[in-house]
Amino acid sequence: MKRIAVIGGGGAGKTRLARALGAALDLPVVHLDAHYYGPGWRPLPPIEWVDRQRQLAAAERGVMDGHYASTLSIRLERADTVVFLDLPPLLCAWQVLRRWALGHRRPSTDLPAGTRPKIDRRFLAYVLTFRRRRRPTLLRTLASWERPVNVCTLRSRREVRAFLSSLDA
């Protein structure tokens, strides 16, 4: 595993897993949110976002954390491994709320400078409906991807811990 894409819905634990993978495998970690958003949570224009991801994905090794379904193919073209966090929606919502509460106490390195985690109805709806609305398309994309890529789907915190433990072995 030299080029890993960590994907999944909001609150699934992508950032935490990416950091753990980077530490365990001695790989640099790229948090896509920190590159997509600017001050005040302003997103990059679509063309710039595609170019930025291509630049980031060009690295010879690393872990990229972020879902961004519209540009997933950029990461899949380069990844040798995809880790899909497919955790239950209520757990993801809880983790979003927890991160929001803790994020107001300390800054996060995976977000743009000067921003703190935020929550709104739209984001919570995305988190709670990810499995039902977006997961089927994602699974079809992964199953039909033309280049071989190792896909590891983790469905619980226990599976995430076991996966990380297997890297230490």
Side-chain angles (χ1 to χ4, degrees):
M1 293 190 291
K2 288 175 37 181
R3 288 190 206 104
I4 305 167
V6 180
I7 62 174
K14 297 179 298 292
T15 297
R16 180 177 282 172
L17 178 60
R19 285 183 185 141
L21 286 169
L25 300 171
D26 193 30
L27 294 172
V29 178
V30 173
H31 303 290
L32 292 178
D33 283 349
H35 293 274
Y36 180 65
Y37 293 105
W41 288 99
R42 283 189 310 250
L44 279 177
I47 298 297
E48 288 181 42
W49 179 228
V50 167
D51 289 343
R52 174 80 51 90
Q53 274 195 74
R54 284 198 173 111
Q55 291 169 0
L56 294 168
E60 287 304 311
R61 47 195 298 274
V63 181
M64 294 185 83
D65 131 45
H67 191 73
Y68 297 97
S70 65
T71 56
L72 179 61
S73 63
I74 294 170
R75 294 181 307 285
L76 289 179
E77 288 170 5
R78 297 282 297 161
D80 56 39
T81 304
V82 173
V83 180
F84 171 34
L85 292 173
D86 189 19
L87 276 64
L90 289 177
L91 174 60
C92 293
W94 165 248
Q95 291 179 166
V96 164
L97 292 169
R98 182 174 173 267
R99 180 177 180 169
W100 174 79
L102 294 175
H104 289 277
R105 290 190 226 158
R106 61 179 184 261
S108 182
T109 59
D110 63 304
L111 297 176
T115 60
R116 304 258 187 217
K118 68 175 189 166
I119 294 180
D120 58 27
R121 282 184 182 174
R122 189 173 169 208
F123 183 61
L124 278 177
Y126 165 78
V127 170
L128 291 170
T129 62
F130 181 86
R131 262 193 171 173
R132 183 170 35 91
R133 290 187 178 169
R134 300 177 193 272
R135 180 177 177 255
T137 302
L138 172 62
L139 293 175
R140 282 192 301 274
T141 299
L142 293 173
S144 67
W145 191 249
E146 63 273 0
R147 192 176 72 66
V149 61
N150 179 32
V151 177
C152 179
T153 301
L154 304 174
R155 293 181 180 86
S156 69
R157 286 181 172 174
R158 178 179 287 161
E159 287 184 10
V160 171
R161 286 190 300 271
F163 176 71
L164 289 171
S165 292
S166 74
L167 299 177
D168 293 335

